[in-house]
Amino acid sequence: MNHAAIKRSVKEIAEHVRATVHGDGRIEVTGVSSIASASPGDLVFVEDEKNLRLALQSPAAAVIAGAFAAGNTASKPLILSSQPRLAFARAAQFFSASSKREPGIHPSAVVHPSARLGKDAVVGEHVVIGESVVIGEATRIGAASVIGSGVRLGRHCQLYPNVTIYPGAQLGDRVIVHAGAVLGSDGFGYVRDKDTGRYEKFPQIGRLEIEDDVEIGANTTIDRGALEITRIACGTKIDNLVHIGHNCQIGEDVVIAAQTGFSGSIVVENNVVLGGQVGVGEHARICEGVMLGGQGGVLPKKILRGKGVAFWGTPAQPLRQYLKQLAAVARLAKK
């Protein structure tokens, strides 16, 4: 991934990613790449010694590596980090942050006069920004996005095209929202009339609050609270095609993989990891540090406990117990 107009010295990159340089720190780098697709000027990374030789033989200008490379007498400069993959990710962000479009409002955008846009904000083509919206500095809003009245966006957010944010939602700083996401829509709440058998809408007048450093995948939907607040806490990462129902409380640094679905009023505590296609019933609680494997199912009002414990299956149970049951079923089938 080369950015021809951007050049960073190895020394600059090392300082940015909080690593040390082994070799010539004046060498200039123009982008990041995998080892297989590296071009002259690229930065690559390795996490083990066996791949270091391949990286050094590639056309890349410099290599991020771990302490195992400290004694290497390489012709290329090395950036030494205790976490090479993390250092590489930070280096990639360093380059992408330097290649953003110029701030300003596209002539085709519709911005309500009462909206307040921070310094260096970017508003793309055909964006609609409603009444009393507040947008923080250096936040970027992609083409055809709709920002409802009273929405507050923090600083340095990135909204990709066709994002819809319903009125009253609040997003913190450095939030990333990918294309097609819908934030703050009505929850799926109805009351049935016993006399007629018909369903009538229960009020969906709560709010959605998304805290700092959250990332939300493409075509994900998050409902606002019915009467209260749906909250996504700091640092949580949500994949594509995820649905989070009304009144859910998602903790800090939670990871939610694609096609996961949450009913209403679910609590997910900090540092939980959920695999793809997980389903969680209403009023369930997933406690801190739990890991739930793909297609796992949590029944309504169920509580999953155990920091670092992996759960699997439907209904979800500790992995060891689940595997024992599978083995027992297999033995029965043989009989």
Side-chain angles (χ1 to χ4, degrees), residues 292-315:
L292 180 55
Q295 297 189 327
V298 182
L299 298 179
K301 301 182 180 179
K302 180 72 175 177
I303 300 175
L304 299 189
R305 290 191 178 92
K307 193 171 184 179
V309 175
F311 287 78
W312 212 280
T314 301

Side-chain angles (χ1 to χ4, degrees), residues 3 6 95-109 119-127 137-145 156-161:
H3 301 288
I6 303 168
F95 280 99
S96 64
S98 304
S99 60
K100 303 301 182 184
R101 62 184 287 178
E102 289 296 313
I105 302 172
H106 192 273
S108 64
K119 180 184 176 183
D120 295 331
V122 177
V123 178
E125 299 86 341
H126 303 290
V127 167
E137 66 179 66
T139 283
R140 301 177 296 276
I141 301 175
S145 293
H156 299 278
C157 295
Q158 170 72 69
L159 275 59
Y160 285 91

Side-chain angles (χ1 to χ4, degrees), residues 136-201:
E137 66 179 66
T139 283
R140 301 177 296 276
I141 301 175
S145 293
V146 178
I147 313 300
S149 60
V151 167
R152 300 179 68 91
L153 301 178
R155 299 170 299 162
H156 299 278
C157 295
Q158 170 72 69
L159 275 59
Y160 285 91
N162 292 302
V163 168
T164 300
I165 304 181
Y166 276 58
Q170 297 185 20
L171 281 68
D173 297 336
R174 299 173 301 280
V175 174
I176 300 172
V177 186
H178 288 274
V182 178
L183 308 181
S185 51
D186 283 5
F188 193 67
Y190 298 90
V191 180
R192 193 170 193 181
D193 186 331
K194 294 179 181 178
D195 296 330
T196 65
R198 295 186 177 275
Y199 290 93
E200 298 185 22
K201 193 176 184 71

